[in-house]
Amino acid sequence: MPDHSTLAPFPGSAIPHVGTYRRVLPISLERMYENTLDWEHLPHVHASSFASIRCEQAGTWGWRAWTTDHRGFDALIELRLDKTCRRWITRNLAGRNKGAEIWTHAFPIAERRVDIVVDFFVPDVPEDSREKVGLVYAGLYETLYDEDVAMMTERQKQLDQRVGGRNGYPREEQQRISLGPRAALRLPSITRLGGREYVVAEVSGALVVYPAVCPHQSGPLARAELNDGIVVCPWHGYGFDVRTGDCVTGQACKLSNLPRLVETGDGELTLVRR
Ligand code: FES
Ligand SMILES: [Fe+2]
């Protein structure tokens, strides 16, 4: 038998444990891992907690990034995903809360149901304050997971619809759909064509069409405001010019294969797939 008393403790266990947050989420483990590696969503989906993020490194192992909160405090955060142990560990390497570690373990209890246990380790907290600090962390994580669950649920819905695809729609509707007279069209309007949803809106007096879901990771573009022809996705902040489809925030992403709006002489509008 090896003498375990001589082994060094895990780094996390060397820092005082201040509390635990536990919750069952209606989400698959796959979506959880995807969300964990997705550093880009922090200042958008969690806008009340993060003002900005600058990624230094990212991969299937996790990511390391500088974040700023709304009071201007910076923190260098590193997240490491360990799928073998179904866990990820977040460490504050520098800046605010330096030394703090958050260990999350995920236990799938059904295909789309996962029990998560989040342990908070924070250095330099006196023993009689640990419970209070732990409750603050738990409250923060409650909010973060509320926001993440909304995002992950919506993304799962979009992925399920993509798999279901065009089933159930008459063939002709998949190629074209009449929108009626332009004068009667209430804008913006959402129209389904070929199993996908599109927003029809007006920019400087001209009609434009763009997808209701974002080409990046299926974020809800239809729920974002359209300002001067630019729509900004609420999940990762990619901005698109709906007149050209171009991404105006620099990411390699584009609104493409958009249907055409055809207006006949009598003012009837039809949306036609390309
Ligand atoms: S889903 Fe990522 S920017 Fe839209
Ligand atoms: Fe998140």
Side-chain angles (χ1 to χ4, degrees):
M1 277 282 276
D3 178 8
H4 288 101
S5 65
T6 60
L7 295 176
F10 291 121
S13 59
I15 305 168
H17 179 254
V18 298
T20 300
Y21 175 71
R22 186 164 188 168
R23 179 166 172 181
V24 174
L25 305 174
I27 304 292
S28 70
L29 189 59
E30 189 188 355
R31 289 285 83 70
M32 289 297 296
Y33 286 156
E34 184 181 77
N35 184 266
T36 294
L37 293 175
D38 177 6
W39 57 270
E40 264 184 314
H41 78 281
L42 265 61
H44 302 284
V45 174
H46 306 305
S48 60
S49 305
F50 298 94
S52 67
I53 191 161
R54 180 168 51 80
C55 186
E56 290 199 329
Q57 226 184 318
T60 52
W61 60 273
W63 49 265
R64 189 181 318 115
W66 277 101
T67 63
T68 309
D69 68 17
H70 289 284
R71 285 177 296 173
F73 291 111
D74 294 328
L76 178 62
I77 299 177
E78 182 179 87
L79 180 144
R80 288 192 182 217
L81 174 62
D82 176 0
K83 286 189 182 177
T84 310
C85 295
R86 293 189 313 278
R87 75 178 176 205
W88 48 98
I89 299 172
T90 308
R91 293 191 170 94
N92 281 40
L93 301 180
R96 187 164 164 77
N97 296 329
K98 184 180 172 195
E101 292 189 5
I102 296 163
W103 293 44
T104 304
H105 285 86
F107 304 92
I109 45 183
E111 194 193 333
R112 292 191 183 171
R113 210 164 160 75
V114 64
D115 188 5
I116 52 151
V117 181
V118 188
D119 283 296
F120 309 111
F121 300 90
V122 185
D124 307 324
V125 180
E127 201 157 348
D128 58 356
S129 302
R130 286 180 192 166
E131 190 181 343
K132 206 169 133 197
V133 172
L135 288 173
V136 172
Y137 270 88
L140 173 66
Y141 266 66
E142 175 92 354
T143 302
L144 294 175
Y145 271 111
D146 284 349
E147 293 163 343
D148 277 336
V149 165
M151 178 190 187
M152 290 187 280
T153 305
E154 177 68 25
R155 176 157 164 74
Q156 188 64 63
K157 191 178 116 195
Q158 294 299 337
L159 290 172
D160 290 346
Q161 279 181 5
R162 204 183 291 172
V163 172
R166 299 163 189 174
N167 295 346
Y169 293 96
R171 195 167 178 74
E172 196 191 354
E173 189 186 64
Q174 289 172 8
Q175 295 307 321
R176 55 177 56 228
I177 187 163
S178 170
L179 303 181
R182 175 172 179 166
L185 201 59
R186 288 170 62 103
L187 299 174
S189 79
I190 295 184
T191 301
R192 188 181 273 274
L193 174 68
R196 289 179 186 243
E197 285 188 328
Y198 296 94
V199 181
V200 180
E202 195 175 57
V203 177
S204 307
L207 290 178
V208 291
V209 189
Y210 59 95
V213 300
C214 180
H216 177 223
Q217 286 187 10
S218 308
L221 276 191
R223 291 209 290 273
E225 262 185 51
L226 180 62
N227 287 315
D228 295 331
I230 307 293
V231 66
V232 178
C233 180
W235 282 1
H236 306 97
Y238 291 18
F240 299 95
D241 187 326
V242 298
R243 292 159 292 195
T244 60
D246 292 341
C247 182
V248 296
T249 43
Q251 292 86 359
C253 203
K254 193 170 168 68
L255 307 179
S256 55
N257 293 325
L258 297 178
R260 280 180 305 127
L261 262 176
V262 178
E263 188 170 358
T264 51
D266 56 2
E268 286 279 325
L269 283 171
T270 305
L271 201 56
V272 184
R273 293 183 73 193
R274 288 183 197 270

